[in-house]
Structures are given as structure tokens and as C-alpha cells.
């Protein structure tokens, strides 16, 4: 340390560093910082003080805060009070001179008032009133650029925001909207007395309660622990299920999305279609009335006389039987010597004739039941036939019955080349359609009784024909093959409609007596109702039977139809058809009729309605015929 | 033991007791109450013979103890119970059976003889002792129904054939053959005078015939609703087959049909008097001149009694094929059904029959009473019996005789 403050300033004024305006960092590696006027080195003061000395200086020296280092000489300088005040004024942004007044009043050289004489009286420039040639050239260049399309008008700014609410349009019910439907996990219940380490004695389980708790399933326990009593909190052991419970709680909180299920609250009763009660749809067959016993093998077919007094049945035991409906009396048995596959009573009430198919022949029998005059006139009608002079080539042969056969009731025999599956009469009773079990186009033959002619109506076949039926009112022939039902116009000889039942194998066919509705039974246990006015697709498919359907039938008078199946039941349905074209048919199943026992996995083989009463006959594999009334 | 206040009364003056209430033990059976009545009667009349009585509480025959019956029927104990007593009918017993070769379709009793018609196109006359007296053959078709025309003049009538039977010589002579029906004739009925009969047929027509022999072959006197050409508006008597006919009055005939109606006709003019409509096919009808009621049997298993309202008797389990009022008792009728049972009914109790006569193994097609003389007061009830229904088996015929 050298001298007092005043001396040092004076000395410093004298000893001038003469190195000039060079960075002092150049002298960092030297012991001096420059040269004085005499060209002698100015040495840096010795700096041997360490941090601790500096700290003690700072603590002890009251002027430490006003001491700065002179970089030119490396000596410490103690600032005077005037210098400190100057530094403080400069730090505040004030003028260094304390006496300087920055806010002295200003003297106006130019007044704001308009004077008579201008300050300058210079005339206006020429350029101020002549249009600028430079600008003109610039504008004409821009006009040209606009004409050439080089300058486009500025595109309107896209006002759509570049950032938008991603979820603004979101459907809250969609899967993405699950956050809105979020249901928070339930809060944990606060611990109660039973969780205490020292619960009141009424919370402690008795021995029976403890045993009962052990017996219970973990899911149905009221508490998932047993309250226990400990002497002190220190005696409480570690809780064994702690990790598991925390894990389940975490599952609750994070992993399992809890969301409200949108459950449709529908009364199941409302989903059932409104159908009238069966007892409002009476009459229909309700219970078994009569059993017609006599056949010794399964009864394949049956037919009721048009008056409803007699019943004909054909069986595998090689016989036809004629029954009296009201008493179940077998009036007549006609042995034919072969399986009778199909039988049909002539629908004309003026003719007493039954057609039955036996192997490859169709037998026409006169059962000689009922009015004697009717029986006689039928025989006369058959005998009145005069054979034409030149015999035409026919697909079937018509043979007269022998005298012995006439005794048994047989009148005519139509021989075919293939087994006959089905016979059916036209409503007037003159034409007879026959289905043969042969591939090819001669599966269906139509016989005319009065002229004893046979014809094959089809040129090519569309699959194996299962059933045929005549339309009750119009000249149509319905042909059911395995997968479809075709309706042919007999006069125009063309296909009118093709119905697709959508079932695997059609087994049976029946036409509504009004003619606009058709039902088909199939071996895949479906009953298909077609409304011909609606479409070629099924109007309704009824799947009431458990096994294959064998026969279906319409009642000629009452709004009833029935189906017989291999499961041994006959299901009677109410099928009301309305004259109003806008109203669809009403189909209501009304009764399941049981009675036939299953034999060889076969149940009901044929069903037929009584022509005037709401009664139904069914023939079964148990070699009986049953009447339900 | 609880006591019951009972007031006994009866319609039969012979067995009337004093008109005072009696106290009887509540647990007494019918037989005990019956003996009480007998004791009362003995006290009144020393010549009284023991008679079994049956009791009616509010129109019902109690089948068990009185107490239980009253509990079931909710009859109060507090009041005096009105007990009507009637003579007890002993159960009819089968006495003998008569064998036919084929199914018997109908049966008719007379004073001393029984007439049966069969599916083998014959009819037979039997004595009441069950001996076959006479067989008539000559029918061309199944005999469906027959009737006695005159019991004293000994002629009998078979479906559209008129036969005369001479008892002394035991010979049958065919008198007439009525032709005109276009269907099988299912039912015939003869009027009281025996001069007229009419037939109902499957061809939906009723025809009235005269039994008085004339020279003409066909006896058609009048035919109600002549078919087709003559009366077009009302062609047929019924729209369906006629199943049963009867004379309800000398001027009134009644027919039932499969078209679910009972129609009453005027026999003289042939006009329709009234029509009763049911829900089911009617199989049979019977009229009692004693109580003036019609009873019909139908295929819905009920027997219906037609007076101001309709009362149904329901106990059969199959079609009712035959209903007949008793000719001697105004409240009894029998019914035969295809469920092989003949039932004897009292019209006071419509829920349960008096007796079930289940001696048959096959369907009952016809049942009838014979009105024997006044001395015996016996009732014969004719039924038929079959052991097999193949059609060619012997069948037997079984009358039951009950005496009281």
C-alpha cells in the first residue's frame, strides 16, 4: 500500500502508462503492464493475497466497496465521495454534471402562426406540376405485365384456421367418444371399525361366523378379510394381499375403461309380433277323434271323397282301403299287389272314381260307395269310350281291367315305363297329372280320361320333379322340382313364373283354393308360403317342425292349412287370405296334433282335410289313419 | 261330533217324511242318511220295505262324505241344509250279449223284441232273452238305422225298405223299397200313428214316406225341399249331411245335420219352423215326451240339452254317437260315445254321469231303451260290442237289465 488517497491520485497523474490504446491482455504473461514516460517498466503490484485475505479485507476494510483496480497500473484506487456520487448519477441515467439543467425553456425559430412573408420565397419546382416520366414508364410496364398475365391479382387469403378443434364434430356415442362416457372408478371405501387392529368386540367374528366365512366362495364374501384383534399396532403383521389389492385398484383406475353401456331397454314382449289368440280363430282340429286301423304297413297316402263321407288310403302292404269317415269302418279293401304311392279321389261330385298309383301304373277304381246311380253313371261314362280309328302314339298305354279285376272295383289301368310317384286330378275331374320317377323330360304326363289320351307337356326337364298340382281356377300347372316351383300356362304353353323356395329339397306342394297362394313343404323341415301377388320369394317361412315335412294341405273352405312331418306331429295353422290386395295373409300356428308313433324314423306321411268340416286326417308310418276334430 | 241340520224332502209322496229339520252327524255317509230315512218311514208305516235312497244337495249327488262335499261346494253349515232324496238306482249290470257277425250300426228296442241292424247288410230280431228270432237279408247296402213302425201290427222298417214281420209264422216279407235318395240314408223316424215315416240322408234331404201300402212301387208322398228344379230358392233341407231325425210332435219333425244346425220342420207343409245353431257337427238327437226337451250329441264330446238355455253334459272323451231319453223316467238319458263307454245321466247333475257302463271294447254306435210293460218297470239298454274292428269278427251285443 502506498500513501494516502490524495497522494496516490497525484502520483498516478504523474506516472503515465505510455503503451497506448492496446489491449492490456497482451501483458497478462508479463510482470509489467507498460512503460512510463522514462521508458521504464511499470510493474504490476505483487498480488500474493489469497481468497482468505480478500475476505478478511472485505470484512475489515470499511472502504472495500469503493476500491477499484486501475487496469493501466494494476494498483488499487480508492474512489472519492465525488467520484462515487458521479458513478451513482451515471447509473441512474442522470447527467454527470450536477449543475446541468436539461429542461431549460426552448427558443422558437419558426412560429406556428402563418406570417405575411414566407421564410423562404422560392418558386415551386417544375417537377411538382409535370407528371413524372419515370413513373409513367413504370406504370406502363406494370400495365403491360398485367395484360400479359405476368402479374396476378393477389389470391384471397385462406380464412380457415390452420388449427382447429379435432373433437368438435365428434359423435359422443361413437367409439371415439368413449371419454365422454367415462365413468370414474369407484372410490375405495374408507376403512371402518372392522379394519381396525383393535376392533370393538362386536366386530370380531364368532367361531361360527368365521367358519361360515371360510366356507363361502371368495366372490360372495361380505368382507374380504377376517377382523382380528392385536395388542398393539406393532404386533400387526404385514398384509399378505397388499400387492394384489393395489394391482386390482390400479386396474380399476387405469387399465379397465369404465364406460356407460348404452343398453336398449326393450320389453321382450314387444318384439313378439302381435298375433291373435288361437282360441279366437276357431274352428280348427283340436283333438284326436277316430283311429282307422286295418292297414298292416305304413300308410303312404290318403284322399277324402268330395262329399266327405268316404276316405281312401293306400299303403305299403299292397292294398287300398275305403273307410267310412264317421265311424272308422273299413268299407272295402282292394288288394293291388304293390306299394301304393299316391291316391286321389276324383274331385267331380258327379263321378265316383279314385286314381291310385301302383308301381309304374295308375289304377282307376270305382269304389262303388254311395249313391247307386252315381256308381252306375261312372261305369257308363268309362264304358262309353270309343277307341279312335288310327291309334296314336302315346307315352302311356291304357288298358281295360279284366273281369276279375272289375269285381274288385278296378276299371282302367294306365301303364307307364317308370314308377309313378304322384297322381293328381284337375278340378273338373277329366284331366289327371302324373309324376314319374325318371330323369328327363317325360317326368310329367297329363292324361285325359274322356278321350283316353296321354301327353307329355314338357320338352326339356328342369331337375327332378317332386310334385305337380293343377291351379284350382286358372289353366296353370304347378311343377315343384327339388329347388324351385315353376308355374306353366297350359294353353299358351309357356313358363309364367318361377318361385324360389330357398330350401334344399321340396317334398310337397299345395295350392290355396282361391289360387293366389301356395305352400311348399321341404325335407329340411321348412314350410314356405308364397303369395303369388307379392313376389317369387317366400312370403313367410315357418320352421315349426323338427324333422322333414312330408305333406302339406289346404282346407277347401276354412282358412286352415296343415303340415305333417317325420317327427310324428301335424301342425295346423290358420292362414287367412284377404280379398283386399293391400292386406297380406295372416298366418298363425294354432295347434300341434300328436298321435302317431314313430316307426322306422317316419311319422306322418300324408295329411288331408275334410272337405266340409274343420277336421284333418293324417296317415302315419304306424299303419294307422287318424282323424282330428 | 259336529251335527248338521238337514231338511229332507222328496217329490215322491210315497216316501214323504215330516217337514221338520233333523240333526244328523256331519260325518255320516250316504248309506247312513238313507237308513235314517228308512227308519223314519218305518215309524210312519209298518209295511215299509227298505229302500236305498240317494241324496241331492243343490242339484248335485254327493259322491263322498256329506262334510267333504259341502266343503268342496262351499255350502254353509250354519243354515239348514236342504236335502232332496230320491230312490237310488242300482247300477245296471250286463246280462247277456248277442253276437253279430259284423259291426252293429243301430239298435231299437220294442216291448218284447230287439231289432239290430248291421254292417253285413242284415238285420236281426232278438227276443229280450237274447235269442235270435229272425234274420232278414236282402238289403243292398249297409243297414244304418231302423225303426218299428207298429208294435202291435208287427212290422218293422229298415232303411228305405219296409218289411213285414209275422210273429206267429216267424217270417219276414219285404213290402216296399223306397227309392229317391241320392246318398246313404242315415236315419229314419216313424210317427206315432205308424202311417208315415221320414228319412234323413247324406244327400242333405229329408223325405216323408207313407207306410200304407199302395199299388205304386215308390211310396214317396212328399219330399221336403224337393231338390233342384222345383224350388230353387230353398233347395235342400240342410247344407250338409243329415245325421239324425225324429218326430218331436205329431206335426213336427226335427233333424240334425253336419252343418251344425238343428232344424224343426212342419210335417204337413214342409216349412222350416226354427233353427238351432251349434258349433259342431251333430251326430244324434233325442226328444223326451215326458220332459219335452231335446238332447243332442255332437262331435265336440258334449251332450246338450236344449230348453231355454243350453246345458252341456261333459264327460265323454270322444264323439257322442247316440243319445236316448228314457221312455219311463223323465230325467234320465243314456249316451253312447266312440270312447267305448255308455253313460247313464240324470239331468239334475250335469257334471258327472250316474253310471259309466264300460263293458265294451270298441266304439259304441247306438244305444236304446226298451219300454217293457208296466209290471216290471224294467229298462233294457241295448248296446253293441266288438272285439276287433277288422270288420269280420264276431261281435256281441249286450243288453243290461236293471230292475227296481
Amino acid at each position: 500500500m502506498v500513501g494516502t488517497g490524495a497522494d496516490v491520485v497525484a502520483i498516478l497523474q504523474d506516472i503515465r502508462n505510455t503503451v497506448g490504446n492496446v489491449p492490456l491482455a497482451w501483458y497478462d504473461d508479463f510482470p509489467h503492464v507498460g512503460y512510463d514516460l522514462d521508458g521504464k517498466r511499470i510493474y504490476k503490484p505483487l498480488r500474493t493475497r489469497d481468497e482468505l485475505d480478500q475476505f478478511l479485507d472485505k470484512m475489515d476494510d470499511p472502504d472495500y466497496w469503493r476500491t477499484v483496480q486501475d487496469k493501466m497500473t494494476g494498483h488499487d484506487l480508492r474512489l472519492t465521495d465525488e467520484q462515487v456520487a458521479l458513478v451513482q448519477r451515471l447509473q441512474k441515467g442522470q447527467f454527470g454534471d450536477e449543475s446541468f439543467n436539461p429542461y431549460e425553456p426552448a427558443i422558437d425559430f419558426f412560429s406556428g402562426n402563418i406570417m405575411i412573408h414566407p421564410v423562404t420565397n422560392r418558386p415551386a419546382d417544375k417537377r411538382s406540376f409535370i407528371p413524372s416520366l419515370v413513373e409513367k414508364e413504370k406504370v406502363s410496364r406494370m400495365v403491360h405485365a398485367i395484360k400479359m398475365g405476368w402479374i396476378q391479382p393477389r389470391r384471397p387469403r385462406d380464412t380457415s384456421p390452420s388449427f382447429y378443434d379435432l373433437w368438435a364434430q365428434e359423435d359422443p356415442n361413437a367409439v371415439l367418444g368413449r371419454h365422454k362416457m367415462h365413468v370414474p372408478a369407484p372410490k375405495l371405501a374408507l376403512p371402518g371399525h372392522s379394519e381396525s387392529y383393535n376392533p370393538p368386540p362386536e366386530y370380531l367374528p364368532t367361531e361360527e361366523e368365521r367358519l361360515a366365512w371360510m366356507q363361502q366362495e371368495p366372490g360372495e364374501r361380505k368382507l374380504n378379510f377376517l377382523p382380528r384383534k392385536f395388542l398393539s399396532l406393532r404386533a400387526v403383521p404385514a398384509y399378505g394381499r397388499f400387492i394384489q389389492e393395489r394391482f386390482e385398484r390400479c386396474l380399476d383406475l387405469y387399465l379397465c375403461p369404465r364406460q356407460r353401456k348404452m343398453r336398449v331397454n326393450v320389453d321382450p314382449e314387444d318384439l313378439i309380433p302381435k298375433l291373435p289368440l288361437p282360441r279366437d280363430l276357431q274352428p280348427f282340429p283340436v283333438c284326436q277323434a277316430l283311429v282307422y286301423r286295418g292297414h298292416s304297413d305304413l300308410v303312404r297316402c290318403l284322399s277324402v271323397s268330395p262329399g266327405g263321407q268316404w276316405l281312401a288310403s293306400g299303403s305299403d302292404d299292397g292294398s287300398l282301403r275305403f273307410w267310412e269317415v264317421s265311424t272308422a269302418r273299413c268299407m272295402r279293401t282292394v288288394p293291388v299287389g304293390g306299394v301304393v304311392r299316391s291316391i286321389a279321389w276324383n274331385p267331380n261330385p258327379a263321378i265316383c272314381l279314385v286314381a291310385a298309383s301302383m308301381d309304374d301304373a295308375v289304377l282307376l277304381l270305382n269304389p262303388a260307395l254311395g249313391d247307386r246311380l252315381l256308381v252306375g253313371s261312372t261305369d257308363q261314362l268309362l264304358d262309353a269310350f270309343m277307341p279312335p280309328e288310327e291309334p296314336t302314339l302315346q307315352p302311356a298305354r291304357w288298358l281295360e281291367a279284366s273281369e276279375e279285376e272289375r269285381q274288385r272295383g278296378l276299371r282302367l289301368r294306365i301303364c307307364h315305363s317308370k314308377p309313378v310317384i304322384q297322381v293328381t286330378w284337375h278340378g273338373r275331374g277329366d284331366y289327371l297329372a302324373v309324376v314319374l320317377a325318371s330323369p328327363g323330360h317325360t317326368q310329367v304326363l297329363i292324361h285325359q280320361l274322356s278321350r283316353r289320351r296321354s301327353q307329355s307337356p314338357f320338352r326339356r326337364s328342369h331337375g327332378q320333379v317332386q310334385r305337380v298340382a293343377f291351379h284350382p281356377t286358372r289353366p296353370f300347372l304347378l311343377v315343384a322340382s327339388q329347388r324351385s316351383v315353376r308355374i306353366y300356362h297350359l294353353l299358351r304353353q309357356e313358363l309364367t313364373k318361377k318361385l324360389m323356395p330357398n330350401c334344399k329339397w321340396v317334398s310337397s306342394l299345395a295350392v290355396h283354393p282361391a289360387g293366389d297362394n301356395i305352400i311348399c313343404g321341404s325335407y329340411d323341415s321348412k314350410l314356405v308360403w308364397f303369395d303369388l301377388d307379392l313376389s317369387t320369394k317366400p312370403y313367410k317361412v315357418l320352421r315349426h317342425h323338427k324333422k322333414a315335412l312330408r305333406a302339406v294341405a289346404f282346407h277347401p273352405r276354412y282358412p286352415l292349412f296343415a303340415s305333417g312331418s317325420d317327427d310324428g306331429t301335424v301342425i295346423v295353422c290358420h292362414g287367412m287370405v284377404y280379398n283386399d290386395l293391400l292386406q297380406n295373409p295372416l298366418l298363425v300356428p294354432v295347434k300341434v296334433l300328436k298321435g302317431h308313433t314313430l316307426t322306422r324314423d317316419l311319422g306322418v306321411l300324408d295329411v288331408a282335410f275334410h272337405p266340409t268340416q274343420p277336421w284333418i286326417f293324417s296317415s302315419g308310418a304306424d299303419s294307422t289313419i287318424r282323424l282330428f276334430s | 261330533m259336529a251335527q248338521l241340520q238337514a231338511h229332507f224332502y222328496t217329490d215322491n209322496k210315497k216316501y214323504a217324511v215330516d217337514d221338520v229339520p233333523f240333526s244328523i252327524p256331519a260325518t255320516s255317509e250316504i248309506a247312513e242318511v238313507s237308513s235314517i230315512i228308512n227308519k223314519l218311514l218305518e215309524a210312519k208305516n209298518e209295511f215299509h220295505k227298505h229302500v236305498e235312497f240317494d241324496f241331492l244337495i243343490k242339484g248335485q249327488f254327493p259322491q263322498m262324505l256329506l262334510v267333504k262335499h259341502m266343503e268342496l261346494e262351499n255350502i254353509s253349515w250354519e243354515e239348514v241344509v236342504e236335502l232332496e232324496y230320491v230312490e237310488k238306482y242300482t247300477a245296471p249290470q250286463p246280462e247277456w250279449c248277442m253276437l253279430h257277425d259284423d259291426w252293429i250300426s243301430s239298435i231299437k228296442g220294442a216291448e218284447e223284441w230287439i231289432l239290430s241292424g248291421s254292417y253285413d247288410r242284415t238285420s236281426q230280431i232278438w227276443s229280450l232273452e237274447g235269442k235270435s228270432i229272425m234274420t232278414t237279408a236282402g238289403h243292398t247296402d249297409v243297414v244304418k238305422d231302423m225303426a218299428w213302425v207298429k208294435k202291435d201290427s208287427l212290422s218293422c222298417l229298415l232303411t228305405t225298405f219296409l218289411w213285414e214281420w209275422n210273429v206267429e209264422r216267424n217270417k219276414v216279407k219285404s213290402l216296399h223299397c223306397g227309392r229317391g235318395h241320392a246318398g246313404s240314408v242315415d236315419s229314419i223316424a216313424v210317427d206315432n200313428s205308424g202311417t208315415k215315416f221320414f228319412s234323413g240322408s247324406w244327400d242333405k234331404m229329408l223325405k216323408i214316406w207313407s207306410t200304407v201300402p199302395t199299388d205304386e212301387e215308390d211310396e214317396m208322398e212328399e219330399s221336403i225341399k224337393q231338390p233342384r228344379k222345383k224350388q230353387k230358392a230353398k233347395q235342400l233341407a240342410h247344407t250338409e249331411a243329415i245325421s239324425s231325425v225324429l218326430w218331436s210332435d205329431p206335426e213336427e219333425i226335427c233333424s240334425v245335420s253336419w252343418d251344425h244346425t238343428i232344424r224343426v220342420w212342419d210335417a204337413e207343409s214342409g216349412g222350416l219352423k226354427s233353427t238351432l245353431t251349434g258349433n259342431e257337427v251333430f251326430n244324434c238327437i233325442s226328444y223326451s215326451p215326458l220332459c219335452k226337451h231335446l238332447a243332442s250329441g255332437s262331435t265336440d264330446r258334449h251332450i246338450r240339452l236344449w230348453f231355454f238355455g243350453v246345458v252341456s253334459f261333459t264327460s265323454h272323451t270322444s264323439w257322442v254317437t247316440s243319445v236316448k231319453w228314457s221312455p219311463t223316467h223323465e230325467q234320465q238319458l243314456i249316451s253312447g260315445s266312440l270312447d267305448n263307454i255308455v253313460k247313464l245321466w240324470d239331468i239334475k247333475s250335469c257334471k258327472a254321469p250316474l253310471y259309466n257302463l264300460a263293458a265294451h271294447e270298441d266304439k259304441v254306435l247306438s244305444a236304446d231303451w226298451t219300454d217293457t210293460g208296466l209290471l216290471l218297470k224294467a229298462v233294457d239298454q241295448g248296446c253293441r260290442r266288438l272285439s276287433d274292428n277288422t270288420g269280420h269278427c264276431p261281435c256281441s251285443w249286450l243288453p243290461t237289465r236293471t230292475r227296481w
Side-chain angles (χ1 to χ4, degrees), chain B residues 26-66:
Chain B
T27 52
S28 55
E29 290 182 30
I30 302 298
E32 293 170 13
V33 188
S34 174
S35 62
I36 292 174
I37 302 283
N38 272 307
K39 275 181 191 151
L40 286 170
L41 290 172
E42 270 171 30
K44 254 171 76 177
N45 178 7
E46 56 192 26
F47 302 109
H48 175 74
K49 279 182 191 168
H50 189 85
V51 178
E52 281 290 318
F53 290 104
D54 216 338
F55 295 87
L56 277 159
I57 303 180
K58 296 197 171 175
Q60 281 192 332
F61 289 105
Q63 303 286 336
M64 51 195 105
L65 290 184
L66 276 180

Side-chain angles (χ1 to χ4, degrees), chain A residues 283-284 286-294 307-310 321 324-331 368 370-373 557-558 610 612-615 627 629, chain B residues 102-103 119-120 140-142 144 181-184 186 202 204 239-240 258-260 279-281 283 299-301 317-319 321 338 363 365 389-392:
Chain A
F284 53 82
V286 178
C287 61
Q288 179 180 309
L290 282 171
V291 184
Y292 302 75
R293 295 179 202 277
Q309 196 180 7
W310 313 108
R321 276 174 187 262
E324 189 182 37
V325 166
S326 58
T327 54
R329 158 87 186 187
C330 178
M331 302 303 285
D371 188 14
R372 211 172 307 280
L373 292 172
R557 282 195 195 175
Y558 290 92
H610 192 275
T612 54
Q613 302 297 335
W615 299 344
L627 167 63
S629 73
Chain B
D102 206 337
W103 292 24
Y119 271 84
D120 59 2
T140 55
D141 216 329
V142 172
K144 278 298 192 67
H181 275 301
S184 63
D186 279 5
W202 190 271
K204 310 166 190 175
T239 56
E240 290 290 332
W258 280 37
D259 63 0
H260 309 180
N279 292 325
E280 271 288 338
V281 166
N283 277 328
T299 57
D300 59 353
R301 299 165 289 168
T317 57
S318 188
W319 292 7
T321 52
L338 295 184
K363 300 181 271 284
L365 295 184
N389 68 351
T390 51
H392 298 288

Side-chain angles (χ1 to χ4, degrees), chain A residues 15-18 32 34-43:
Chain A
I15 309 162
R16 297 280 302 268
N17 195 347
T18 56
H32 61 278
Y35 306 93
D36 60 9
L37 289 172
D38 302 327
K40 287 181 183 167
R41 290 178 177 176
I42 301 171
Y43 286 92

Side-chain angles (χ1 to χ4, degrees), chain A residues 102-157:
Chain A
Y103 304 112
E104 279 179 13
I107 301 144
D108 270 348
F109 290 98
F110 298 99
S111 86
N113 304 324
I114 297 171
M115 300 298 173
I116 303 167
H117 300 289
V119 179
T120 63
N121 205 8
R122 196 167 153 252
D125 285 329
K126 188 184 176 185
R127 65 171 179 268
S128 67
F129 51 87
I130 291 177
S132 165
L133 285 174
V134 179
E135 279 181 4
K136 185 189 171 191
E137 193 183 346
K138 221 179 206 173
V139 167
S140 68
R141 209 180 288 143
M142 285 167 78
V143 169
H144 177 69
I146 290 171
K147 278 183 183 169
M148 298 303 286
W150 298 333
I151 295 179
Q152 295 277 342
R154 189 170 286 162
R155 238 181 270 142
R157 259 183 92 173

